Amino acid sequence: MSEKPAEETTKDRLRLILGEEGLRRLDEATVMIIGLGGVGSNCAEALARGGIGHFVLLDRDVVAPSNVNRQAIAFTSTVGKVKADVMAAMIQDINPEAEVCAVHAFLEKDRIAEQLSALPRPDYVVDAIDTVAQKLRLAEWCQAEGLREISAMGGGNKLDPCRLRFSTIEDTVNCPLARIMRKECRRRGIHGLQVLYSDEQPVKMEAITDEQWMESGSLLGTMSYFPPIMGQMIASRVIRDLLGWGA
């Protein structure tokens, strides 16, 4: 009599690549994701499907109708719901054993260290927020704490995902957000910040001042596929780094 086939599990395809040790390392890892928009929500989903076992999520917003074109958590059924709560439910629907700390709060630029130090300490930090002031303070905190971080640069008004690149902030080009970040990182002594950016020239629109970026981010056009691809790429980098697979 032939043996009964082994029961299929949600991690079978991961196990073929990662092995039991790789699965264990990812299951024990904690990833903090700040910002659950188009980049952050798709990154969190990919990390959950990829075997990460512990999450710290922070976002200040609720799902809006304009989010539906690009955000993993945005459906007509979730409009008006707290993004952090919707993301936490999605992660636990993917992996019921995942531990998720979901925070519905604004990341205050003058209290970032206090706010984040009160949360579970991560092995990796994903910056998927829009405003420069918060991005800079987050990078300062990660540098001071010795935490690995990757920061998403601008995906708005970009069309070609083949132009996305991993680099340090010092080596970025053709990205308005990265241009301001480069200048401010130099001024603040932030070195070697790992980023994902696009070297494509953005589609022209009304000029946005550096002050507008610093204070409130910007309202830009976004293609349905571009932020999700950024989120997936960042998830791939986080997983490979946590496994020690390098670039």
Side-chain angles (χ1 to χ4, degrees):
M1 180 180 294
S2 61
E3 293 185 2
K4 182 180 178 180
E7 184 177 351
E8 186 173 275
T9 76
T10 59
K11 295 183 178 180
D12 285 350
R13 296 302 177 97
L14 293 174
R15 186 174 289 104
L16 292 172
I17 297 175
L18 305 177
E20 293 296 340
E21 175 62 16
L23 283 175
R24 182 192 64 78
R25 291 173 67 177
L26 295 183
D27 183 62
E28 292 176 355
T30 299
V31 179
M32 175 182 284
I33 304 169
I34 310 295
L36 297 170
V39 176
S41 64
N42 283 282
C43 179
E45 179 186 1
L47 290 173
R49 295 187 188 280
I52 298 298
H54 303 263
F55 292 84
V56 180
L57 311 174
L58 189 147
D59 193 285
R60 64 177 176 175
D61 289 330
V62 298
V63 178
S66 62
N67 301 154
V68 174
N69 81 313
R70 67 197 182 282
Q71 298 185 12
I73 51 176
F75 303 88
T76 56
S77 62
T78 61
V79 169
K81 296 183 179 180
V82 172
K83 286 186 177 181
D85 292 344
V86 177
M87 191 77 252
M90 177 181 285
I91 289 171
Q92 292 185 316
D93 198 16
I94 293 167
N95 178 11
E97 296 180 355
E99 294 186 3
V100 185
C101 173
V103 181
H104 178 215
F106 177 67
L107 194 61
E108 301 177 40
K109 63 182 180 181
D110 296 324
R111 294 184 58 244
I112 281 178
E114 177 186 347
Q115 286 177 283
L116 297 184
S117 296
L119 300 173
R121 183 176 175 85
D123 299 297
Y124 216 116
V125 177
V126 174
D127 162 25
I129 50 183
D130 296 326
T131 52
V132 175
Q134 277 79 3
K135 293 177 89 70
L136 289 165
R137 294 295 178 88
L138 178 58
E140 287 177 325
W141 179 72
C142 288
Q143 184 169 278
E145 292 289 322
L147 294 170
R148 285 180 289 187
E149 178 193 8
I150 184 163
S151 181
M153 295 293 103
N157 288 17
K158 302 289 182 93
L159 301 175
D160 184 1
C162 295
R163 302 291 293 274
L164 286 164
R165 304 283 184 269
F166 289 109
S167 78
T168 59
I169 189 64
E170 291 86 354
D171 294 329
T172 54
V173 295
N174 292 343
C175 175
L177 175 56
R179 175 178 60 81
I180 299 165
M181 287 288 291
R182 281 198 309 273
K183 179 178 69 175
E184 291 297 323
C185 283
R186 284 196 302 269
R187 190 170 71 83
R188 296 165 186 248
I190 300 169
H191 305 292
L193 175 63
Q194 183 178 217
V195 303
L196 176 66
Y197 81 102
S198 168
D199 65 8
E200 178 186 9
Q201 287 285 0
V203 174
K204 295 293 183 182
M205 64 176 293
E206 183 179 351
I208 296 168
T209 67
D210 288 3
E211 288 73 21
Q212 287 172 314
W213 274 110
M214 288 291 292
E215 293 301 321
S216 61
S218 63
L219 185 62
L220 300 174
T222 48
M223 296 303 295
S224 62
Y225 53 83
F226 208 94
I229 291 172
M230 291 184 70
Q232 294 273 345
M233 289 181 67
I234 289 173
S236 81
R237 189 57 174 265
V238 170
I239 286 173
R240 287 180 289 136
D241 284 350
L242 288 171
L243 290 170
W245 289 357

